Amino acid sequence: MSKTGVAVVGYGYWGPNLVRSIADNPDCDLVMVCDKRTDRLAPVKNRYPSARCTGNFEEVLWNPSVEAVVLATPVSSHFPLAQRILSSGRHVLVEKPLSTSSREARALLSLAQKKRRVLMAGHTFVYSPPVRKVKELLKRGVLGKIYTMDFSRVNLGLFQPDVNVLWDLGPHDISIALYWLGKVPLTVRAEAKTFVQGKIEEVGYLSMEFPGGIWVRNHVSWLAPVKLRRVSVVGSRQMLVYDDTDPVEKVKIYNRGVLKNPETFGEFQLTYRSGDIYSPRISSEEPLYGECADFIRAIRAGRKPESDAHFGLQVVRVLEAAQKSLKQGGKIVRL
Ligand SMILES: NC(=O)c1ccc[n+]([C@@H]2O[C@H](COP(=O)([O-])OP(=O)(O)OC[C@H]3O[C@@H](n4cnc5c(N)ncnc54)[C@H](O)[C@@H]3O)[C@@H](O)[C@H]2O)c1
């Protein structure tokens, strides 16, 4: 089988990582790299001389060697560009979030179905080995009944010009929660504020209630002194912490918990349990390489990628509900 010809559109902050992942894939031929700011393309010409560079998106659609496109442009451009790509009969991987509304996401989904092309949402964390390890632990019931998940994704910058922090950093944690629990939340509530720019919120809190009473909280911020990429998951049997900044022990399981004693024990009815801490071995595969490889496999094998368009739509639905809650001063919104 010949290689799949791929173009990457958008070579800003994230595009270079996608270009590298595509170029490293033995089943791919990096045919083109496109960015309307052509000054950004100089390093591509040196590193990938066989890839054609262009500042004109139309040229990507004219090139018959391009079978698939990876889109890493600003969020507000995802819908119009992905629509053009699918209409031209090409497969497309759209960086997260898939679109700025569920209406747009649904329109892309039905266009992809009509054209029989792969439409994938770039939720990189679905391919992250520690995230997959936690999913496996949850599936095995290692933590017992899940009570809460607390996500922190904060650091200083990068401020986005077209979306607020909930739409920029939120998709990561929302996608992780949806992937871990295999469900969408019943309700969403959001609060966010701007302190620097005046219009686009830089600090946000998202609260989601999942079926079974699981309470998921997410703190996202571009205004924080240190970088945190941490989740704590509390279950009835054990608890865990996933810290993506830890170079060695990204996942730690704490054999800790609290038990309610029978009423007869009188006033002090709780027993605290504090046992061993265990860190499972986790593979070091690069998530983004896994994401791009899944896209290419889906095209070549004619099957759905894990982070498919339906999954991308669910993440957008949560973000949309969060935006609605924000508009209503933090009211609970049903999904
Ligand atoms: N999966 C992840 O972990 C991750 C991380 C960062 C960003 N992202 C996503 O990647 C996307 C891009 O983010 P970024 O931070 O790289 O943005 P960016 O602004 O740094 O880069 C976007 C680039 O797209 C170019 N562009 C815009 N419109 C274009 C058009 N019509 N044709 C050609 N080029 C065009 C711009 O000139 C710019 O160079 C966003 O969807 C973002 O959410 C994903």
Side-chain angles (χ1 to χ4, degrees):
M1 204 174 174
S2 62
K3 293 186 176 200
T4 304
V6 181
V8 176
V9 178
Y11 198 77
Y13 165 71
W14 196 239
N17 299 322
L18 289 158
V19 165
R20 182 174 41 80
S21 295
I22 293 295
D24 285 350
N25 190 315
D27 290 328
C28 283
D29 185 12
L30 177 68
V31 176
M32 282 184 107
V33 181
C34 166
D35 197 299
K36 64 180 178 190
R37 276 192 50 184
T38 46
D39 55 304
R40 291 192 161 165
L41 296 171
V44 183
K45 289 176 188 151
N46 295 330
R47 225 166 290 158
Y48 311 101
S50 63
R52 190 173 153 63
C53 289
T54 177
N56 181 2
F57 173 71
E58 299 302 321
E59 246 190 80
V60 173
L61 304 183
W62 297 332
N63 190 334
S65 305
V66 174
E67 296 162 68
V69 179
V70 176
L71 197 54
T73 55
V75 181
S76 51
S77 65
H78 288 179
F79 176 68
L81 295 181
Q83 200 179 32
R84 296 285 317 280
I85 294 162
L86 287 169
S87 299
S88 77
R90 285 158 175 105
H91 309 277
V92 61
L93 160 53
V94 183
E95 253 315 321
K96 62 83 195 162
L98 182 56
S99 59
T100 56
S101 72
S102 57
R103 191 181 47 79
E104 289 178 354
R106 284 197 175 93
L108 290 178
L109 235 148
S110 67
L111 183 57
Q113 275 164 1
K114 194 173 131 204
K115 291 279 185 181
R116 294 177 185 275
R117 287 294 171 266
V118 174
L119 167 64
M120 176 169 162
H123 291 295
T124 319
F125 281 95
V126 167
Y127 302 92
S128 150
V131 170
R132 295 178 85 87
K133 173 56 78 178
V134 174
K135 165 101 178 167
E136 179 200 313
L137 296 168
L138 295 175
K139 219 172 161 185
R140 279 174 31 215
V142 169
L143 303 193
K145 177 178 159 48
I146 303 303
Y147 295 153
T148 64
M149 293 183 174
D150 222 312
F151 291 78
S152 299
R153 187 172 297 273
V154 307
N155 52 273
L156 196 60
L158 292 164
F159 287 55
Q160 297 295 323
D162 60 340
V163 288
N164 68 21
V165 72
L166 289 170
W167 282 82
D168 179 40
L169 298 180
H172 291 314
D173 295 327
I174 295 166
S175 68
I176 295 172
L178 265 59
Y179 173 66
W180 280 351
L181 297 171
K183 294 168 184 158
V184 287
L186 299 170
T187 64
V188 174
R189 184 175 173 276
E191 288 175 294
K193 270 191 189 297
T194 171
F195 296 91
V196 180
Q197 300 180 110
K199 259 190 182 164
I200 297 177
E201 295 88 353
E202 297 118 1
V203 182
Y205 292 89
L206 190 64
S207 183
M208 296 173 272
E209 186 96 28
F210 279 77
I214 302 169
W215 190 29
V216 178
R217 295 256 302 167
N218 186 195
H219 175 202
V220 283
S221 178
W222 296 324
L223 265 184
V226 288
K227 179 172 177 167
L228 295 180
R229 297 286 184 266
R230 231 176 101 95
V231 193
S232 72
V233 184
V234 174
S236 57
R237 202 177 301 149
Q238 302 199 87
M239 305 177 180
L240 74 73
V241 171
Y242 155 41
D243 183 351
D244 209 42
T245 62
D246 190 314
V248 190
E249 297 177 332
K250 288 193 186 301
V251 177
K252 285 193 196 119
I253 302 151
Y254 294 77
N255 186 7
R256 280 186 192 160
V258 57
L259 285 176
K260 208 170 167 187
N261 294 337
E263 298 292 320
T264 47
F265 277 77
E267 213 173 304
F268 300 101
Q269 294 176 4
L270 301 177
T271 303
Y272 297 91
R273 191 171 44 74
S274 193
D276 291 342
I277 302 168
Y278 161 72
S279 180
R281 210 171 68 84
I282 287 169
S283 93
S284 57
E285 262 165 57
E286 199 203 336
L288 193 61
Y289 183 84
E291 174 188 311
C292 291
D294 194 26
F295 178 51
I296 300 304
R297 266 195 311 269
I299 294 169
R300 294 168 78 86
R303 61 165 180 76
K304 277 187 182 175
E306 270 200 274
S307 174
D308 67 359
H310 183 73
F311 185 75
L313 164 66
Q314 301 314 321
V315 175
V316 170
R317 284 182 65 217
V318 174
L319 289 165
E320 207 170 46
Q323 195 63 36
K324 195 170 168 190
S325 168
L326 205 59
K327 262 194 177 165
Q328 296 176 356
K331 273 197 182 158
I332 291 175
V333 172
R334 291 210 152 267
L335 225 71

